Structure formats: structure tokens, C-alpha cells
Amino acid sequence: MGIVYPIITFPYASRILLPDGIGKVNFANSIVSCFAIIASLGVGNYATREAAKIRDNIPELRKLIKEILIINISSTIIAYILFFSSIFFIPKLQNYQVLLLISSLTIIFNTIGIGWFYTAIEEYAYITFRSIIFQVINIIFLFVFVKTKNDIYLYAFMNVIASVGSNICNFIHLKHFVSLKEKTSIEIKKHLKPIAILFGMSVAIKVYTILDSSMLGFLTNDTQVGYYSAATKINKMVLMVVTAIGGVLFPRLSYYSNKEDKTEFLNLLIKGFSITLCLAIPCTLGLHFLSKPITLLFSGENYLDSIPVMEIMNPIIIIISISNFIGIQYFLPLKKEKITLYSVIIGAVTNFSLNLILIPKYQALGAGIATVCAESCVTLFQLYKAKNEIDYKKFLLNIFEFTFASTVMSFYVVFITKNVSENFLQILYSVTGGAIIYYLILLILRNKIVLDTTKSLANNLKKNRGKNND
């Protein structure tokens, strides 16, 4: 749904609101994100890790939930005080007050949503179901109510509901797992130091993930923000899928780390890292050659200037996939979050510095170049720090096979883009045919990841058939 929802909504919204309207909404979202960092305090990863460790101990889990909620509610109040002060006293933001107020609803929804708890106990079916329900409702409302470029506020509100509206259900649903009414002792102090480290990490990450849109808004105009938003929309969708495996593995890796089961920890880490690269490499190459038809189909001819930005930013799919896996899935379960903190600080400083230099001259393209450079610095630093603990030689054969298969696939994609004129058909034939070619080449090469996955799927099908026969 992370892919399907924007594929359905963004082409419609981008044509109704145009680059200027999309730019306004995304500028407001980027500003609100700054205060959302303060509200969240980096609690998500920390709470997920700690809850995953004690998931079988209900009294301790109940105690942890209360402690984290107290910390989170306190930080949310501080965030809102700073937010309201900013929108009333910073002249640039006064023109966006209504949009900012609408977008700011995400702050309180994220706090009461306690999504980290459901991730920690691996309740993925519930997370998926409630998200899909809200997104489907939102799609219907979008097509019914957003008709002109003047409906920008309604569009912004629908985005909030689609992304975090289901968090209300999270808080209500919590009673099925733990009771918050029972009295327990509260210990806040022990959480503050690790949360402070992860808060620093969250700040640094957000600096170079939202800084581009914010600095574009301040240094250029809403149209350039609109171009940048269109260019990064597909990248983010693909990244969501590629890095999704990390979100699933994190609580399990934390569990193994707490049990000091090094064998299972490393086996799962290596398998997850390989699957991530298996997805990231072909997605990066495929997206590069499909940048034009994707932009024309999903955004329209008004966004042609976003194509070079999208092309220059496609490598971040591989770059962020690697840094996400090492920085989050490896260092955090082992309580080495300081290394991740240092890496993202390097990225934030790099991004901010390059934005100041490149945006005034190259506008949206400059912001894209700055992001790629910043993400590269983060990944290289993490790879260097983990070199003595992770045997990268184990991945070399897989990387070679993924790259070779992706290159062959790319020739097919280029052939399709040259010989098929309609944008939708270019994408359809390229994605379906390219995926088949990529899979078959890896099968011929006897790639272990693909063989294991194929065998697992075959076994599941046999089991399901056996159940049906019974």
C-alpha cells in the first residue's frame, strides 16, 4: 500500500494542485517534521528495541509503555509550544499558517499511536489492516472532494489522515494487550540517556531528509519544492519497499541480541542484507531508465524539470538501503547507536553545507546532488566502522550476481523505452518483463537468496494445497 496509495493519489493531486500547490503542502510538511522530531525524541527505535526484549514479560512491558508515554507526551507539549511560537513570529511561516496547523496534527497522532509497541510484538497483520482501511477511505474522499487547486487545505488534511489517522485505533486497541489502569512504579531517568542519543540521531537524520524541501522553500520558491517533491516521490516509494524488511527484522534482531544468540543474529542479518541488495540494485537501475515515463505518467508535463533531479537521486535507493541496514538493523540492537549518531551528524553537516552552495545556483537539482553526497558520506562511515565485525566478502558474490542480472535487465528496459511510445505501457512492460528477466538470470546463476526464496514459496504452496485437500 505504500506504493499503491501514492500511485493512485499523486498523479491526480499533482495535476489538480500543480507544482505550486504541491510545493506549498510539502514545504509545510517539512517544517512540521522539524517539530515532530522534538515530539518523538527518537523514542521509536529505542522503545521498539526495549519492548522486543521483554515482550514475554507483561508486567515489565506494561511498565515500559507507561514510562515511554510519559516521556513522549511531555516532549509533544514542548514541541507544540515551540511550533506555535514559530508560526506566529517567523514572517515566512505566517503565509502558511493554516497548512502548518493542519500538518501539525501528525505530531499528536504519532504520539498516541505508539506504533513502536506493535512493531516490537510483531503485530504486522494488525498494522497493515488498519493502515489499508484508512488509505482506501482517503482515496475515495480525495476523488470526491478535491476538485480544484483551491482545495489545497483539504488535500493536506487527507494526507494527515492517510498517514497517521489510523494511530487513533492503535491507542484504543492497546487495551487488548496491556492494561494502563493498573498501578506500577515508574522509572523515567534510566531511559533518558539512550533516548538522548537516539534523539540526536533523529535530529541529524531529519536535518538532511527534510532540509532539502525547507531550504528550497526559503532560498527559491514553491515551484522548485514541487519539482523536488515529484522527483523524490517515486524514490521514497521504492525505498519504502526495499527497507521494509529492515523494519520487520529489527525487533527480532533485538530479541536475539538480548538473548546473546550471536549465531541466529548474524544469520538473520546476512540474509536480510542480501535480500535488501537483491531488491535495491535492480530498482535503482530500472528507475533510472524509466524516470521520464514515470514522471510524465504520475506527475504530468508540468513536472518535466523534475526528471534530471530524479535521475541524479536514484542511487540513494542503494545507498540508503545499506546505511539503514547497518546503522539501524546492526548497530542499534547491539546498543552501538553512537556510531549511527556520528554517521548521521556527518551526513547532516554535509547536506546543509552543500545545500547552501548548490541550491542558489542549481535549485532543485542542487538539493538532489547534496542529498546523494550526504547519504554517501553516512554509508561510507558506517561501512568503515563495521568492517571488523561484518565480513563483507560474504556479500561480494551476491552483489556481483545482482549487478550482472540488473545490467542485463536494463538492456531490456532501454529497448522497451525506445520502441514503445505510450508511457503506461513502457512502465508496465519494463517492470513485468524486467522482473522476470532478473529472476530467471539469478536462477541460472544459482543465486542462494533466490533459490531459498523459491523453495520456501514452493513449500508453502504444497502446505496450502494439503490443507485444502484435507
Side-chain angles (χ1 to χ4, degrees):
M1 280 302 293
I3 284 186
V4 173
Y5 178 78
I7 280 179
I8 295 173
T9 60
F10 190 72
Y12 178 79
S14 62
R15 287 167 172 79
I16 297 294
L17 302 180
L18 302 177
D20 182 68
I22 293 294
K24 283 183 169 67
V25 174
N26 281 281
F27 177 68
N29 288 339
S30 69
I31 296 300
V32 168
S33 295
C34 297
F35 299 95
I37 303 168
I38 299 171
S40 67
L41 276 182
V43 158
N45 283 326
Y46 170 76
T48 299
R49 183 183 72 190
E50 298 304 307
K53 291 177 180 178
I54 58 173
R55 54 183 293 176
D56 299 325
N57 188 332
I58 298 301
E60 285 298 312
L61 188 59
R62 186 185 301 124
K63 181 172 177 290
L64 176 69
I65 292 172
K66 288 184 178 180
E67 292 166 349
I68 297 299
L69 270 175
I70 290 172
I71 294 171
N72 229 172
I73 291 171
S74 302
S75 61
T76 298
I77 292 171
I78 295 171
Y80 269 114
I81 292 171
L82 295 173
F83 170 73
F84 285 115
S85 300
S86 298
I87 64 173
F88 287 115
F89 293 108
I90 297 177
K92 173 75 176 181
L93 300 184
Q94 290 175 4
N95 296 326
Y96 298 84
Q97 281 185 359
V98 177
L99 274 177
L100 288 166
L101 288 170
I102 293 171
S103 297
S104 72
L105 292 172
T106 57
I107 299 176
I108 185 63
F109 281 160
N110 277 328
T111 299
I112 65 173
I114 53 174
W116 53 267
F117 168 74
Y118 295 97
T119 303
I121 63 173
E122 300 179 86
E123 275 286 320
Y124 300 118
Y126 165 73
I127 294 171
T128 303
F129 177 75
R130 51 91 176 170
S131 296
I132 289 175
I133 292 297
F134 274 79
Q135 286 173 327
V136 169
I137 292 171
N138 208 61
I139 288 171
I140 296 170
F141 281 11
L142 175 70
F143 289 115
V144 171
F145 297 110
V146 177
K147 297 293 186 181
T148 71
K149 63 180 181 180
N150 296 322
D151 295 324
I152 185 172
Y153 301 126
L154 190 57
Y155 173 71
F157 179 72
M158 288 180 177
N159 276 348
V160 171
I161 298 301
S163 60
V164 294
S166 59
N167 285 2
I168 297 173
C169 300
N170 284 3
F171 192 79
I172 298 171
H173 191 63
L174 184 64
K175 65 183 180 181
H176 294 291
F177 298 95
V178 294
S179 173
L180 297 179
K181 294 180 180 179
E182 294 181 22
K183 292 184 178 181
T184 57
S185 59
I186 301 297
E187 298 177 78
I188 301 295
K189 189 175 180 180
K190 67 178 182 180
H191 300 298
L192 297 182
K193 184 178 179 180
I195 284 177
I197 294 173
L198 290 171
F199 173 63
M201 189 174 75
S202 297
V203 170
I205 289 173
K206 284 294 182 182
V207 162
Y208 68 83
T209 54
I210 66 170
L211 200 62
D212 298 330
S213 295
S214 300
M215 292 185 74
L216 273 171
F218 278 106
L219 298 176
T220 58
N221 52 59
D222 292 326
T223 300
Q224 287 298 317
V225 180
Y227 291 148
Y228 187 80
S229 301
T232 57
K233 195 77 175 180
I234 303 297
N235 279 333
K236 289 178 180 178
M237 287 160 50
V238 175
L239 262 173
M240 193 183 302
V241 175
V242 173
T243 58
I245 186 173
V248 174
L249 294 183
F250 179 66
R252 181 62 59 177
L253 288 167
S254 299
Y255 182 79
Y256 287 145
S257 174
N258 187 56
K259 298 291 185 182
E260 297 183 354
D261 192 340
K262 190 173 182 180
T263 301
E264 287 295 330
F265 180 89
L266 290 176
N267 286 340
L268 187 59
L269 186 79
I270 291 170
K271 184 181 290 186
F273 196 21
S274 297
I275 293 172
T276 299
L277 292 175
C278 181
L279 295 172
I281 294 173
C283 284
T284 299
L285 285 174
L287 203 57
H288 176 78
F289 293 110
L290 291 173
S291 293
K292 186 175 180 179
I294 285 174
T295 300
L296 290 173
L297 180 65
F298 293 110
S299 302
E301 293 186 358
N302 290 317
Y303 294 81
L304 283 173
D305 287 346
S306 69
I307 294 174
V309 185
M310 184 178 178
E311 290 175 339
I312 201 72
M313 291 190 69
N314 283 330
I316 67 171
I317 294 171
I318 295 175
I319 297 167
I320 293 179
S321 296
I322 296 172
S323 65
N324 177 272
F325 220 91
I326 296 176
I328 304 297
Q329 316 309 324
Y330 180 70
F331 285 134
L332 257 61
L334 297 178
K335 297 187 177 181
K336 295 183 178 181
E337 52 265 23
K338 283 186 178 180
I339 297 176
T340 306
L341 171 61
Y342 298 148
S343 70
V344 295
I345 289 174
I346 291 171
V349 172
T350 302
N351 188 256
F352 180 77
S353 303
L354 290 178
N355 274 339
L356 285 177
I357 298 169
L358 297 174
I359 286 178
K361 186 175 182 179
Y362 300 106
Q363 299 184 315
L365 184 63
I369 295 170
T371 296
V372 173
C373 292
E375 295 290 358
S376 299
C377 290
V378 172
T379 301
L380 289 172
F381 180 82
Q382 291 180 357
L383 286 170
Y384 173 75
K385 284 295 184 180
K387 72 181 191 305
N388 294 326
E389 302 172 69
I390 299 178
D391 186 3
Y392 295 129
K393 293 179 182 178
K394 293 182 179 179
F395 301 103
L396 290 179
L397 179 60
N398 274 333
I399 292 173
F400 170 77
E401 291 176 346
F402 298 151
T403 304
F404 175 76
S406 298
T407 303
V408 176
M409 178 201 73
S410 297
F411 286 113
Y412 165 78
V413 174
V414 172
F415 174 80
I416 292 296
T417 56
K418 297 292 185 183
N419 292 278
V420 177
S421 58
E422 212 277 316
N423 292 322
F424 175 75
L425 292 179
Q426 283 184 11
I427 297 168
L428 178 64
Y429 295 158
S430 295
V431 172
T432 53
I436 293 170
I437 290 170
Y438 181 71
Y439 174 74
L440 290 176
I441 292 173
L442 290 178
L443 269 183
I444 293 169
L445 294 173
R446 310 279 306 166
N447 179 265
K448 189 176 185 305
I449 293 298
V450 171
L451 288 175
D452 288 348
T453 304
T454 303
K455 188 183 293 184
S456 177
L457 289 171
N459 289 336
N460 285 333
L461 284 173
K462 287 180 180 178
K463 288 180 181 178
N464 288 332
R465 285 175 183 172
K467 289 179 181 178
N468 291 333
N469 290 333
D470 292 340

